């Protein structure tokens, strides 16, 4: 990615944050001015987000297919898939275990006086393993493309890519078509990147102008426990994957992926960030096309370590607020449910909180507890999405290393 774009993204990030906070502090001074800015930033942010999302399906579709053209040995596909899914599940279960362990010692919510509220909360549906597996196969691949069903798009793209490669000369016209589509997609992304600093500025100022940061103090123990676990998980689990298992310098890694982290933080969506994640994985970290184009979209769909961490800490927090003590079997139940939930969590803003309902329900905690943490969830969503995306890249790097 061009160096000065990265610099502008960083500036827009800082200025957006400062302006947002200033607007939030002075909002009562002149409500009309405040509303005007929020409307403008909301429009700018959503405009940018829509443009970014527009590219996700064409990029994933074409790059997976193209990644398969150079592959000589198709049997490696099964091995890579199995390895990737296993590592994703292991990192997620480590994430939730870490969150529960830290929360056990910190006990967020204990001694906190919070007015209990009632509300209407829906529970995320608990995916059965067989249902998840069956859902991967699109009955109509065009519908999967239109709806952007990522797992189905990945499945169809792999089949199509293998089919085209096996057809030899007869497959050449399609091969050329997809290679051209791949190049054009990246060009479109390059064009969009030119307005990225402005889009990020709008997204960040909108969030912080309407969010404010006082609520973070009120729920400080919960907020900082989640933040602490996110950082520890990144350095401990991803750090080990990167430094010891992939033999890459940690500072170099985070420097290379910072654009993807900025995008994830600003958009709160691993799915909308896919084009940037793919780009930094392939261009900056030199992860091979056939690996990155599969592991990155898959990760942004099934790998949600940051989300699992929030769910772990939130469970202990809510249990403490309601004075319910958790049994060892509850902890195990939370680990299993949150790991499974992460597969079913779409990479879009706020879904982690809906899936939390499923985890709470599993161990009999009141769903109203969600109302207690909703106020800080916007900022935590940004932070956990950045963690989710870093995890996708760290695992891709590791898989790339093992396939050398
Ligand atoms: N926003 C998160 C993501 O896209 C999902 C969540 O935790 O709500 O990765």
């Amino acid at each position: 990615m061009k160096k000065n774009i990265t610099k502008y993204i960083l500036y827009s990030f800082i200025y957006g944050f400062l302006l947002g906070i200033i607007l939030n502090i002075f909002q009562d001074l002149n409500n009309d001015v405040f509303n005007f800015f929020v409307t403008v930033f909301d429009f700018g942010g959503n405009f940018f987000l829509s443009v970014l999302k527009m590219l996700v399906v064409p990029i994933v579709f074409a790059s997976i297919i193209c990644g398969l053209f150079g592959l000589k040995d198709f049997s490696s596909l099964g091995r890579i898939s199995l390895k990737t899914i296993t590592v994703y599940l292991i990192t997620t279960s480590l994430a939730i275990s870490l969150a529960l362990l830290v929360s056990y010692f910190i006990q967020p919510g204990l001694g906190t006086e919070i007015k209990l509220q009632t509300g209407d909360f829906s529970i995320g549906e608990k995916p059965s393993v067989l249902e998840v597996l069956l859902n991967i196969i699109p009955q109509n691949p065009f519908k999967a493309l239109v709806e952007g069903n990522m797992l189905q798009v990945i499945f169809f793209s792999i089949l199509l890519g293998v089919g085209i490669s096996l057809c030899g000369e007869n497959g050449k016209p399609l091969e050329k078509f997809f290679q051209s589509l791949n190049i054009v997609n990246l060009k479109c992304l390059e064009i969009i990147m030119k307005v990225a600093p402005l889009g990020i500025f709008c997204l960040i100022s909108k969030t912080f102008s309407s969010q404010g940061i006082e609520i973070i103090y009120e729920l400080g123990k919960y907020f900082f426990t989640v933040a602490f676990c996110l950082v520890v998980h990144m350095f401990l689990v991803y750090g080990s994957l990167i430094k010891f298992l992939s033999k890459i310098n940690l500072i170099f890694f985070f420097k290379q992926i910072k654009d993807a982290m900025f995008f994830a933080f600003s958009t709160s969506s691993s799915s909308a960030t896919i084009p940037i994640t793919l780009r930094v994985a392939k261009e900056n970290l030199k992860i091979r096309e056939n690996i990155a184009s599969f592991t990155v979209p898959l990760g942004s769909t099934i790998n949600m370590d940051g989300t699992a961490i929030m769910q772990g800490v939130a469970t202990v927090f809510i249990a403490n607020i309601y004075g319910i003590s958790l049994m060892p079997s509850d902890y195990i139940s939370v680990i299993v449910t949150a790991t499974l939930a992460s597969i079913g969590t779409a990479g879009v803003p706020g879904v982690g909180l809906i899936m939390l309902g499923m985890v709470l329900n599993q161990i009999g905690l009141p769903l109203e507890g969600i109302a207690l943490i909703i106020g800080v969830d916007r900022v935590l969503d940004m932070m956990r999405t950045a963690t989710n995306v870093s995890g996708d890249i760290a695992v891709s790097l590791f898989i790339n290393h093992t396939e050398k």
Side-chain angles (χ1 to χ4, degrees):
M1 208 166 286
K2 297 260 174 9
K3 250 217 156 79
N4 44 354
I5 285 277
T6 304
K7 207 170 72 193
Y8 288 135
I9 289 176
L10 180 66
Y11 287 156
S12 57
F13 200 79
I14 297 169
Y15 292 140
F17 175 74
L18 291 177
L19 183 67
I21 297 292
I22 291 171
L23 278 174
N24 183 270
I25 293 172
F26 294 107
Q27 63 174 305
D28 293 332
L29 231 55
N30 190 331
N31 242 314
D32 291 339
V33 176
F34 175 78
N35 286 339
F36 170 76
F37 275 112
V38 170
T39 311
V40 171
F41 292 149
D42 194 33
F43 171 77
N46 281 331
F47 187 87
F48 174 63
L49 213 58
S50 301
V51 175
L52 207 59
K53 282 185 197 158
M54 176 180 77
L55 282 189
V56 173
V57 170
I59 286 188
V60 171
F61 187 46
S63 74
I64 291 186
I65 293 175
C66 291
L68 291 166
F69 291 152
L71 213 63
K72 299 274 174 298
D73 167 24
F74 287 112
S75 62
S76 64
L77 265 179
R79 187 184 60 236
I80 295 175
S81 317
L82 201 69
K83 211 161 44 180
T84 309
I85 294 169
T86 311
V87 181
Y88 276 146
L89 290 180
I90 291 175
T91 58
T92 308
S93 37
L94 286 176
I96 177 92
S97 308
L98 171 79
L100 290 174
L101 187 73
V102 172
S103 306
Y104 180 78
F105 286 109
I106 295 185
Q107 290 296 341
L110 213 60
T112 315
E113 289 263 330
I114 292 181
K115 241 196 347 240
L116 296 181
Q117 309 174 26
T118 45
D120 207 8
F121 296 98
S122 54
I123 315 170
E125 257 178 48
K126 190 176 173 188
S128 90
V129 180
L130 289 182
E131 241 170 52
V132 171
L133 288 179
L134 211 62
N135 244 329
I136 295 175
I137 302 155
Q139 290 183 15
N140 178 350
F142 296 102
K143 186 165 169 244
L145 287 168
V146 169
E147 288 177 350
N149 185 325
M150 209 43 71
L151 290 181
Q152 297 190 347
V153 170
I154 294 172
F155 186 86
F156 177 58
S157 312
I158 292 178
L159 186 66
L160 197 61
V162 172
I164 294 171
S165 302
L166 290 179
C167 280
E169 272 313 304
N170 287 334
K172 282 281 180 266
L174 273 181
E175 190 173 321
K176 269 201 134 149
F177 170 79
F178 282 111
Q179 264 159 354
S180 165
L181 182 64
N182 206 15
I183 294 168
V184 174
N185 279 340
L186 295 181
K187 202 32 120 202
C188 293
L189 182 62
E190 220 173 83
I191 300 169
I192 291 170
M193 287 307 288
K194 294 204 191 326
V195 296
L198 196 62
I200 287 186
F201 175 79
C202 288
L203 284 170
I204 294 285
S205 18
K206 153 79 195 358
T207 304
F208 286 97
S209 58
S210 34
Q211 165 75 51
I213 42 177
E214 329 72 67
I215 182 91
I216 293 176
Y217 295 125
E218 280 169 36
L219 290 171
K221 219 168 167 191
Y222 165 70
F223 183 89
F224 289 110
T225 308
V226 176
F228 174 74
C229 291
L230 292 176
V231 175
V232 171
H233 183 70
M234 277 211 266
F235 282 95
L236 211 70
V237 178
Y238 302 158
S240 313
L241 269 180
I242 296 156
K243 188 162 170 42
F244 303 118
L245 300 176
S246 311
K247 311 271 181 259
I248 298 269
N249 182 293
L250 212 57
I251 298 174
F252 170 81
F253 173 84
F254 282 112
K255 260 191 169 161
Q256 299 308 313
I257 69 158
K258 62 180 179 308
D259 282 333
M261 287 182 79
F262 279 141
F263 269 78
F265 188 89
S266 324
T267 60
S268 291
S269 169
S270 339
S271 177
T273 311
I274 289 177
I276 322 295
T277 318
L278 259 178
R279 188 161 164 167
V280 300
K282 285 194 279 197
E283 286 182 12
N284 299 3
L285 291 170
K286 307 283 174 251
I287 299 177
R288 272 162 293 156
E289 167 117 35
N290 65 331
I291 296 196
S293 57
F294 166 68
T295 51
V296 166
L298 183 71
S300 72
T301 318
I302 69 164
N303 185 46
M304 305 275 164
D305 297 358
T307 307
I309 285 177
M310 175 278 285
Q311 289 170 345
V313 180
T315 306
V316 177
F317 176 79
I318 292 169
N320 279 338
I321 294 282
Y322 283 93
I324 299 167
S325 37
L326 297 174
M327 301 286 124
S329 60
D330 291 330
Y331 284 101
I332 293 171
S333 203
V334 172
I335 295 175
V336 176
T337 320
T339 306
L340 272 184
S342 89
I343 300 175
T345 307
V348 291
V351 180
L353 209 59
I354 298 173
M355 297 310 257
L356 173 65
M358 188 178 110
V359 179
L360 296 180
N361 202 41
Q362 185 70 22
I363 54 169
L365 285 178
L367 290 186
E368 288 78 31
I370 295 178
L372 304 172
I373 51 171
I374 222 162
V376 279
D377 198 64
R378 187 72 193 91
V379 181
L380 283 180
D381 196 2
M382 297 165 119
M383 292 162 58
R384 64 178 184 252
T385 309
T387 308
N388 290 346
V389 166
S390 325
D392 301 339
I393 309 176
V395 171
S396 305
L397 187 76
F398 168 65
I399 301 292
N400 188 56
H401 184 77
T402 60
E403 285 296 316
K404 263 184 188 148

